Amino acid sequence: MLLVADRLARRYGEGDAAVTALRETSFSIAEGEFVAVMGPSGSGKSTLMNIIGLLDRPTSGTLMLAGQSVTKLPHDRLSAVRNRRLGFVFQSYNLLARHTTLENIELPLVYSGIARKRRRVLAEAALASVGLTHRAHHWPGELSGGEQQRVAIARALVSNPDLILADEPTGALDSVTSAAVLGLFQELHRVGHTIVLVTHDPQVAAHARRVLRMRDGRLIGDEPVATTPVAAEPEVVPP
Ligand SMILES: Nc1ncnc2c1ncn2[C@@H]1O[C@H](COP(=O)(O)OP(=O)(O)OP(=O)(O)O)[C@@H](O)[C@H]1O
Ligand SMILES: [Mg+2]
């Protein structure tokens, strides 16, 4: 298993003001899965993603990533694991305005200490994989929302992460642009990437292969996505 969450819980605050955002949540994700996390606002989706993404620690419970317990790792080790194993895509793209497309994509590699020339080669390949080679030297402000999100996806991919985490990646996009971005996630899944995507939109979740449902900080469902059977092509008879 790539990821094993065992009774993860997260409480914020103390005493009367305490909020339990996540309650005793357990599940596993295998390599190559495409999982959607669904649930109403406030149900704990982002809390869960932040813990899986090693941006936050659970109050209790354990998390294993690629066979390694990450729950108690010291801060610097955690950052190293995050940088090596995880790629993030957010609703708000989070591109740096004063850096070009390619420079934004290179950033995770800068933190990994990869040499400049190699960074450029990897960033160009990631940019090509999202179909935006012609925007390499543009500023984020010159790109459409959908293009900015594709750049953010290229940035998430550039370090060849074990797991891509996306929190409402199409939340700010119109339906046509969303469909293109979701098509890109499906293509990444097809070539073997493991993806966990948070959404409150059933149409978005339908692009995944498995849905984890949350309510009031609990996991209340874990089902495969019913795939619409593709009509069989009429057999072509050779002349
Ligand atoms: N830093 C915090 N301090 C206190 N409470 C918090 C904090 N972050 C989240 N919460 C609370 O935890 C609960 C779960 O929040 P979370 O952000 O995980 O929800 P969500 O499912 O991602 O919602 P949305 O769909 O609106 O993004 C909410 O009740 C929220 O108010
Ligand atoms: Mg959220």
Side-chain angles (χ1 to χ4, degrees), residues 12-13 19-21 39-48 167-168 198 200:
Y12 293 111
V19 175
T20 304
S41 183
S43 59
K45 305 182 298 295
S46 295
T47 301
L48 178 62
D167 196 345
E168 296 279 6
V198 165
H200 59 266

Side-chain angles (χ1 to χ4, degrees), residues 41-110:
S41 183
S43 59
K45 305 182 298 295
S46 295
T47 301
L48 178 62
M49 286 293 265
N50 289 341
I51 293 173
I52 298 175
L54 312 181
L55 299 164
D56 186 22
R57 289 181 199 270
T59 313
S60 58
T62 56
L63 181 68
M64 304 270 292
L65 192 60
Q68 180 185 21
S69 172
V70 288
T71 323
K72 297 219 167 82
L73 282 185
H75 190 78
D76 55 330
R77 293 271 309 282
L78 215 52
S79 305
V81 173
R82 190 191 310 126
N83 204 31
R84 189 172 76 242
R85 297 201 180 275
L86 305 176
F88 294 90
V89 181
F90 302 95
Q91 174 171 345
S92 50
Y93 327 129
N94 294 4
L95 300 176
L96 299 183
R98 291 168 190 283
H99 290 261
T100 65
T101 293
L102 270 182
E103 288 166 357
N104 266 282
I105 298 171
E106 283 178 16
L107 262 172
L109 304 175
V110 175

Side-chain angles (χ1 to χ4, degrees), residues 206 208-211 223-229:
R209 304 300 289 274
R210 173 183 171 197
V211 177
E223 309 115 44
V225 171
T227 46
T228 349

Side-chain angles (χ1 to χ4, degrees), residues 15 57 135 213 234:
R57 289 181 199 270
R135 293 286 183 266
R213 283 179 207 282

